[in-house]
């Protein structure tokens, strides 16, 4: 279900332009990815920008109020009175409802009818005739999800995507995934969305990237976090240990002597690639592990260490 732009900004449908702007500024500061590091902040920020871009323009807002999520199908220079003349007196009046656009139509002779989820393309095709007025109505933009593993997002490359097409028939698309694509990023397939009427162009198909959870890696934008197990003696004495990277290889990290679990070591530039700037970093978080079972000699050494060492991690400093 498409989001209601008024609900996204938390304002009423009768809100003034000043109220819309104030609501956007307040929420944008709260959810900006540079300020809010929550995983969902970037997606929320994109939704806010989209809602504000529509509601801050009086003409676009008027079309959205009248036609709901199908407002992008309506040309910016659409003239209702001209359409009414071409279609025998029909005129659209109403707004979007919760289950899709709910539009009331009048024939001009006193009898109204209501359509839920009306197909605007079919409707205006009947108004304008088979050829369409002003070249027809452009097709609607469409969106689908593109699930990727961390490794696939890191490397990018060409992928074949199969989606349900008209009448449920599958359609295949060849998609170039840029290396380092991030969760929530959209890839546009120009002209592959809804079909336009008459000579109007089709809409675009947007594939929104969804990166699947990974057993090792956790993503924070382009930074990658991974837990690295180390032995008690590696943590105490220091060591150089291997760290898996999202590209499928390994890197080396130096564990400083006296490290404890939870210590983070940064490997600069080893995170997700960034075609337009600095690559992300890889953060190795140490996790000190002890042997699940001890041999006789290991037990002797640990007992000797316990008797010799004065270290008490619970002592108040």
């Amino acid at each position: 279900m498409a989001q209601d732009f008024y609900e996204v900004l938390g304002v009423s449908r009768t809100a003034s332009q000043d109220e819309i702007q104030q609501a956007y500024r307040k929420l944008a500061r709260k959810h900006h990815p540079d300020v809010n590091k929550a995983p969902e902040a970037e997606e929320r920020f994109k939704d806010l920008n989209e809602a504000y871009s529509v509601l801050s323009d009086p003409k676009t807002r008027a079309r959205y109020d009248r036609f709901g999520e199908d407002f992008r199908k309506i040309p910016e220079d659409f003239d209702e009175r001209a359409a009414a003349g071409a279609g025998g007196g029909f005129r659209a009046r109403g707004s979007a409802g919760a289950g899709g656009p709910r539009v009331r139509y009048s024939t001009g002779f006193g009898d109204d009818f209501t359509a839920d989820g009306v197909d605007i393309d079919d409707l205006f095709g009947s108004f304008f005739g088979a050829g369409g007025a002003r070249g027809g109505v452009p097709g609607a933009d469409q969106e689908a999800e593109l699930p990727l593993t961390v490794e696939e997002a890191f490397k990018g490359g060409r992928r074949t995507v199969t989606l349900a097409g008209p009448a449920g028939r599958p359609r295949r698309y060849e998609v170039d995934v840029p290396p380092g694509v991030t969760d929530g990023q959209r890839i546009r397939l120009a002209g592959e969305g809804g079909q336009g009427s008459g000579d109007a162009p089709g809409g675009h198909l947007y594939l929104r990237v969804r990166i699947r959870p990974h057993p090792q890696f956790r993503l924070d934008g382009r930074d990658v976090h991974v837990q690295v197990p180390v032995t008690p003696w590696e943590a105490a004495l220091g060591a150089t240990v291997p760290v898996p990277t999202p590209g499928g290889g390994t890197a080396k990290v130096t564990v400083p002597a006296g490290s404890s679990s939870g210590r983070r070591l940064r490997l600069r530039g080893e995170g997700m690639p960034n075609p337009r700037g600095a690559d992300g970093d890889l953060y190795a978080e140490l996790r000190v592990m002890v042997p699940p079972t001890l041999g006789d000699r290991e037990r002797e050494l640990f007992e000797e260490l316990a008797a010799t060492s004065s270290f008490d991690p619970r002592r108040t400093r």
Side-chain angles (χ1 to χ4, degrees):
M1 184 183 299
Q3 296 189 83
D4 185 303
F5 292 150
Y6 289 98
E7 291 183 1
V8 171
L9 294 178
V11 298
S12 69
R13 303 189 73 85
T14 59
S16 66
Q17 291 297 316
D18 286 342
E19 290 172 330
I20 289 173
Q21 185 180 69
Q22 291 172 8
Y24 168 74
R25 288 180 175 177
K26 179 180 178 180
L27 292 171
R29 283 195 297 267
K30 178 180 178 182
H31 295 284
H32 195 287
D34 291 343
V35 177
N36 191 334
K37 299 301 182 181
E40 67 277 6
E42 183 176 357
E43 186 69 23
R44 175 76 167 125
F45 186 70
K46 291 177 182 178
D47 291 340
L48 291 170
N49 281 336
E50 182 182 14
Y52 182 68
S53 69
V54 172
L55 299 185
S56 63
D57 185 319
K59 292 183 178 179
T60 307
R61 180 183 178 183
R63 285 189 291 127
Y64 174 71
D65 287 345
R66 184 165 295 122
F67 299 106
E69 64 184 87
D70 287 316
F71 76 101
R72 291 188 177 91
K73 297 180 181 179
I74 311 303
E76 293 184 4
D77 58 353
F78 173 69
D79 187 334
E80 284 190 17
R81 289 172 296 179
F90 284 83
R91 64 184 183 275
R93 64 188 188 197
S95 59
R102 181 177 180 86
V103 186
R104 180 172 295 276
Y105 299 96
S106 172
T107 62
F109 298 100
D111 53 333
D112 293 351
F113 64 95
T114 299
D116 289 324
V118 65
D119 188 330
I120 299 297
D121 285 344
D122 291 344
L123 177 66
F124 286 115
S126 65
F127 285 174
F128 300 142
R134 304 177 185 268
V137 179
D141 291 343
Q142 297 177 343
E143 185 172 295
E145 289 193 351
L146 175 60
L148 298 173
T149 65
V150 171
E151 292 85 355
E152 289 170 338
F154 181 93
K155 296 177 181 178
R158 198 164 184 82
R159 290 178 55 82
T160 300
V161 179
T162 303
L163 300 172
R169 293 189 296 269
R171 292 187 62 182
R172 289 182 172 84
Y173 304 89
E174 294 295 322
V175 183
D176 289 318
V177 178
V181 67
T182 57
D183 190 71
Q185 186 173 334
R186 297 197 305 176
I187 300 173
R188 188 182 71 169
L189 303 182
E192 297 291 349
Q195 184 176 358
S197 67
D199 298 329
H204 303 315
L205 172 61
Y206 291 92
L207 298 179
R208 189 177 292 276
V209 172
R210 294 300 181 199
I211 299 181
R212 296 189 178 105
H214 196 279
Q216 284 184 300
F217 303 116
R218 179 176 62 83
L219 302 186
D220 180 10
R222 296 189 186 276
D223 292 337
V224 181
H225 298 256
V226 59
Q227 285 193 343
V228 179
V230 294
T231 64
W233 45 93
E234 287 173 332
L237 303 176
T240 299
V241 299
V243 177
T245 64
T250 58
K252 296 289 186 179
V253 64
T254 299
V255 179
S259 294
S260 298
S261 285
R263 184 168 189 170
R264 291 197 311 168
L265 307 174
R266 183 172 70 169
L267 286 77
R268 190 183 300 274
E270 293 288 347
M272 301 293 282
N274 184 1
R276 296 190 179 91
D279 294 342
D281 298 328
L282 176 63
Y283 289 91
E285 183 175 314
L286 302 183
R287 186 180 180 193
V288 179
M289 307 290 290
V290 299
T293 59
L294 297 175
D296 292 341
R297 180 54 179 158
E298 288 174 319
R299 180 173 295 278
E300 289 178 4
L301 291 173
F302 272 107
E303 289 175 347
E304 182 179 345
L305 177 62
T308 303
S309 177
S310 61
F311 174 64
D312 182 358
R314 295 169 295 277
R315 180 182 300 164
T316 303
R317 296 180 180 180

